[in-house]
């Protein structure tokens, strides 16, 4: 089966990105897959361009009376777990038992991952417990390849034009760099980079970061009364002024959070780095106000202390853009309805490449891949769900 063959071929290629690199793509091994995909597009007769930054664009012409719709997946894999020497295990007719992951001593079990309850008698593809699988996002790439094959079988006049984009470096937030909309030609697009096929995602977090730098005053502690301003203690106090329950540990769904990522310091200087997330941009503004208020309180009490806040915008919720371009929403919704497939909206608790594309004039919701537990050894994919996604996405191009 071509879909499975493609998927297994892609996951065996190590394409991990590197957040410490400044080149584009961040690692040259991503070209091992990009060049293969280019060759495969050539063989299928799909016109394509691999640019100097490792972005691979493909285009299949169709009936010009209909808008060109794009598809997008990323070739890189996550940093948290190695993607080298991936040895996928294929479990056909899954019988519901725990699945041993090679000789690693790890098991994929229904108790830990209830999704497996829905996978009885299906084909489940897992790791051997030593690497991630890389279904994020090679399942997306394999699905797009299957869609391309299906679309090429359609008559040109009865299909919608299809634009394809394979990007490197999504996992380090640099996928949309160098994005060339003129080359892509899509009026809107879909990233195929989610999990369960039943979820359609038009929403992601609005995201800001705040670096808090507190400058104290160090003198001999024996002489410190009313003079020694300890930056470490002030940082502690600063954090205590922030809302206690607005943290990842206590939030889910549409609740946003402030997350302290790192802290370092001594008596004279203390620095803490926070990320702030909320689907609602007005609430996100209030979260920033909490930081400004904490700064004010401390500076009022300790006149000689100095607090610098460096506030940066990171990404925005694509819903702002999608609401102005409802066609990308109605098109996919109508397909799920026509195919009688139940669907739900999912507000992604993170960012997506599609969010950034959306603000670059290419609205770009996210669809599922039929793969789960991304970024680690327990990652797995369900072949039947990948097939279902390729059928759903193929429908986009039938006019
Ligand atoms: Zn991904």
């Amino acid at each position: 089966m071509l879909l499975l063959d493609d998927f297994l071929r892609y996951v065996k290629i190590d394409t991990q990105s590197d957040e410490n690199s400044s080149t584009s793509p961040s690692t040259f091994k991503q070209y091992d897959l990009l060049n293969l995909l280019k060759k495969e597009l050539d063989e299928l007769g799909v016109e394509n361009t691999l640019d100097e930054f490792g972005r691979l664009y493909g285009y299949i012409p169709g009936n010009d009376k209909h808008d060109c719709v794009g598809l997008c997946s990323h070739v890189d894999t996550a940093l948290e777990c190695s993607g080298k020497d991936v040895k996928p295990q294929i479990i056909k007719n899954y019988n519901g038992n725990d699945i041993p992951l090679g000789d690693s001593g790890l098991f994929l079990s229904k108790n830990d991952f209830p999704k497996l309850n829905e996978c009885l008698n299906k084909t489940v593809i897992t790791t051997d417990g030593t690497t991630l699988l890389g279904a994020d996002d090679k399942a997306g790439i394999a699905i797009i390849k299957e869609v391309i094959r299906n679309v090429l079988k359609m008559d040109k006049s009865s299909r919608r034009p299809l634009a394809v984009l394979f990007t490197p470096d999504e996992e380090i937030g640099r996928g949309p760099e160098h994005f060339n909309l003129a080359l892509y030609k899509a009026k809107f697009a879909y990233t195929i980079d989610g999990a369960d096929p039943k979820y359609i995602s038009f929403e992601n977090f609005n995201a800001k970061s705040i670096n808090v730098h507190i400058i104290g005053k160090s003198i001999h502690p024996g002489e410190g009364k009313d003079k020694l301003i300890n930056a470490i203690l002030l940082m502690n106090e600063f954090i205590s002024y922030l809302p206690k329950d607005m943290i990842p540990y206590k939030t889910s769904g549409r609740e946003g959070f402030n997350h302290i990522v790192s802290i370092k310091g001594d008596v004279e200087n203390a620095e803490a780095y926070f990320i702030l997330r909320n689907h609602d941009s007005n609430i996100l503004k209030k979260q920033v106000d909490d930081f400004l208020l904490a700064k004010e309180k401390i500076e009022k009490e300790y006149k000689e202390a100095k607090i610098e806040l460096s506030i940066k915008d990171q990404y925005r919720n694509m819903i702002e853009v999608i609401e102005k371009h409802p066609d990308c929403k109605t098109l996919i919704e109508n397909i799920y309805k026509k195919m009688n497939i139940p669907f739900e909206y999912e507000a992604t608790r993170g960012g997506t490449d599609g969010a950034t594309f959306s603000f670059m004039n290419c609205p770009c919701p996210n669809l599922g891949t039929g793969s789960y537990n991304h970024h680690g050894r327990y990652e797995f994919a369900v072949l039947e769900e990948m097939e279902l996604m390729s059928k759903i996405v193929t429908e986009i191009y039938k006019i």
Side-chain angles (χ1 to χ4, degrees), residues 74 136-137 170-171 193 374-375:
H74 62 92
D136 173 14
D137 188 17
E170 189 270 353
E171 299 291 0
D193 192 18
H374 299 156
H375 296 202

